[in-house]
Amino acid sequence: MDLRYSPEEQAFEAEVRAFLKTDLPRDLSDKVRRQASLTKADMERWHAILNAKGWLAATWPKDHGGCDWSAVQQHIFEEECCRAFAPRIVPFGLKMLGPVLLKFGTPEQQADYLPRILDGRDWWCQGYSEPGAGSDLASLKTRATRDGEDYIINGQKTWTTLGQHANRIFCLVRTGTGGKPQAGISFILVDLDIPGIEMRPIRLIEGGYEVNEVFFTDTRVPASNLVGEENMGWTIAKYLLLHERSNIAGVGFSVQALEQLKSLATQITRGGKRLIDSPLFAARLAEVDIDLEAMKLTNLRMLSEAQKKGAPGPETSMLKIKGTVIRQTINDLARRALGPAAAPFPSEALDGNAAPVPEDHAANAASYFNNRKISIYGGSNEIQKNILTKGMMG
């Protein structure tokens, strides 16, 4: 395959760069560059700018307000956004639920929910993981029982990312007990403002708050909120996770983080010499640099395949594994570069990098701790290895 961009793709790349130069607010890019926490208003502001341009929903068809970009165009856009330190697009409505509704939703569900995702009226979160069902998602126990024109939901979800900002949640629920565990699961949409729902914050190791527990107690949801047929939720879940895992690979974020690490290593001195000139550190830096270059090529090769098939395949598991390992390695090298300065960061450093810890130091420490989770969520890397092995060996 030819890994060079076509003239049309090069023109698109130039168009994206020009747009980011004029329309990406400086204060937002400064926050991303400093790895500071983004508020809900920050994220919604960037979404609104992209939506006004018509560039918010990369994969959606144009008749639903999307870009209908090719896989290569999506890659170019994400790479340029990372290079410009643009905020990450919140994926739950746009990159996860949107594709599911377009493939499995009714015309009524598409007409009702898709416009509300685009204009920001709805902020969705994901109700997949449970205390006893994380990577082993088929073990989930949250139950939905049909009662006339409603379902009544009871159970608990956990690790609900950014749920504190959401007004809706899409959930996997158990609606059947016969056959394999995967056979009795359904995919349902829930309004978080109705009675019978409680959300509790979970404080993470770096001191931040971005995940939650969600409890459902006799929560009554209209049966029309079911997506697809009853008990076909596992098929929908697998389709959604393919999109989530390709997003988790985060090639652009690793490129951005590695450039920042190289810059940091030129500023830090040990024994009168720059850290980047240390043979040991330089070797570690070169190793992750080589791995990242290999992943970039693999990512382009898979994009080419996805462009032919119209959707990402199970190869996304490989990207998920390698992408998360590379990002964690870069975080670890940054921590090693900072030495003792990486340890005593205050939790308030997450909101503006407050004194007394130098701003970049605090942010690097927080990223190191926060990114311990990326090799677990979206299906742990161990589970991804099982998926790849099963795909190769049957």
Side-chain angles (χ1 to χ4, degrees):
M1 66 174 282
D2 187 355
L3 295 177
R4 293 171 300 184
Y5 291 150
S6 68
E8 292 78 15
E9 289 163 348
Q10 291 176 25
F12 176 72
E13 183 181 52
E15 184 183 4
V16 173
R17 284 182 182 175
F19 167 75
L20 291 169
K21 188 174 182 180
T22 58
D23 288 60
L24 172 60
R26 177 64 64 87
D27 61 313
L28 287 186
S29 64
D30 284 347
K31 265 190 160 182
V32 176
R33 188 190 307 274
R34 290 186 289 107
Q35 304 177 53
S37 299
L38 295 176
T39 65
K40 181 182 182 182
D42 290 333
M43 293 179 266
E44 289 181 327
R45 182 178 163 204
W46 181 233
H47 280 199
I49 292 170
L50 291 176
N51 191 39
K53 176 69 174 175
W55 282 4
L56 184 55
T59 60
W60 298 14
K62 289 185 177 178
D63 57 359
H64 282 290
C67 309
D68 205 13
W69 282 339
S70 68
V72 174
Q73 284 178 304
Q74 294 170 44
H75 171 73
I76 290 171
F77 179 74
E78 291 183 3
E79 288 278 295
E80 292 305 318
C81 283
C82 287
R83 186 169 286 115
F85 295 98
R88 185 178 189 176
I89 293 175
V90 181
F92 306 107
L94 292 156
K95 297 184 177 182
M96 295 161 71
L97 179 61
V100 162
L101 290 177
L102 287 163
K103 186 172 180 65
F104 300 99
T106 65
E108 291 76 18
Q109 288 172 336
Q110 293 173 358
D112 185 19
Y113 293 119
L114 295 178
R116 299 173 63 91
I117 294 174
L118 284 179
D119 65 21
R121 281 177 288 170
D122 285 343
W123 182 304
W124 288 88
C125 57
Q126 183 182 31
Y128 269 31
S129 295
E130 298 183 6
S135 293
D136 183 17
L137 200 54
S139 299
L140 66 86
K141 291 183 171 56
T142 295
R143 185 161 187 80
T145 305
R146 186 68 183 258
D147 182 32
E149 296 302 314
D150 296 331
Y151 282 100
I152 299 176
I153 302 177
N154 283 283
Q156 177 189 354
K157 297 293 178 181
T158 192
W159 309 123
T160 309
T161 306
L162 300 182
Q164 70 270 32
H165 299 324
N167 63 323
R168 296 181 191 275
I169 183 170
F170 52 87
C171 290
L172 290 178
V173 293
R174 184 158 298 287
T175 46
T177 55
K180 294 182 178 179
Q182 295 92 330
I185 294 173
S186 296
F187 189 99
I188 197 162
L189 311 175
V190 181
D191 186 340
L192 285 170
D193 296 329
I194 61 177
I197 298 177
E198 180 186 2
M199 188 169 297
R200 299 176 187 169
I202 300 174
R203 187 66 68 176
L204 294 180
I205 190 172
E206 98 285 13
Y209 166 34
E210 65 175 17
V211 292
N212 304 267
E213 295 176 293
V214 186
F215 297 86
F216 299 90
T217 304
D218 294 330
T219 309
R220 186 172 287 270
V221 177
S224 58
N225 284 17
L226 183 74
V227 178
E229 298 175 6
E230 189 173 283
N231 297 332
M232 73 170 292
W234 191 249
T235 299
I236 298 175
K238 288 193 296 182
Y239 181 80
L240 183 147
L241 284 170
L242 287 177
H243 288 268
E244 183 182 7
R245 286 167 189 157
S246 60
N247 192 43
I248 292 172
V251 176
F253 294 105
S254 289
V255 172
Q256 177 196 85
L258 185 59
E259 289 176 357
Q260 288 186 299
L261 174 59
K262 289 177 179 177
S263 174
L264 186 66
T266 62
Q267 300 169 37
I268 294 175
T269 57
R270 299 270 168 79
K273 296 182 179 178
R274 298 187 312 167
L275 184 60
I276 200 168
D277 296 324
S278 158
L280 180 58
F281 192 85
R284 288 171 171 166
L285 204 57
E287 185 177 9
V288 73
D289 206 348
I290 291 167
D291 282 349
L292 182 53
E293 285 301 313
M295 191 178 75
K296 286 161 69 176
L297 288 174
T298 304
N299 191 50
L300 288 172
R301 184 164 55 83
M302 291 184 179
L303 282 172
S304 177
E305 290 298 313
Q307 198 149 279
K308 295 174 188 172
K309 298 175 183 175
E315 304 85 4
T316 55
S317 292
M318 188 193 308
L319 284 178
K320 196 271 180 178
I321 294 169
K322 199 62 185 174
T324 54
V325 169
I326 287 174
R327 288 175 69 187
Q328 289 179 339
T329 302
I330 295 172
N331 290 148
D332 187 43
L333 284 174
R335 180 183 62 85
R336 289 172 181 273
L338 291 166
F345 73 91
S347 59
E348 59 268 26
L350 300 170
D351 298 315
N353 296 316
V357 178
E359 58 179 17
D360 289 341
H361 293 195
N364 275 293
S367 294
Y368 169 80
F369 285 114
N370 189 281
N371 279 347
R372 294 302 91 193
K373 70 178 186 290
I374 63 176
S375 52
I376 299 173
Y377 67 47
S380 71
N381 284 4
E382 288 74 16
I383 293 294
Q384 303 313 308
K385 291 174 184 175
N386 288 344
I387 292 173
L388 287 169
T389 303
K390 188 175 180 181
M392 293 171 64
M393 305 180 71

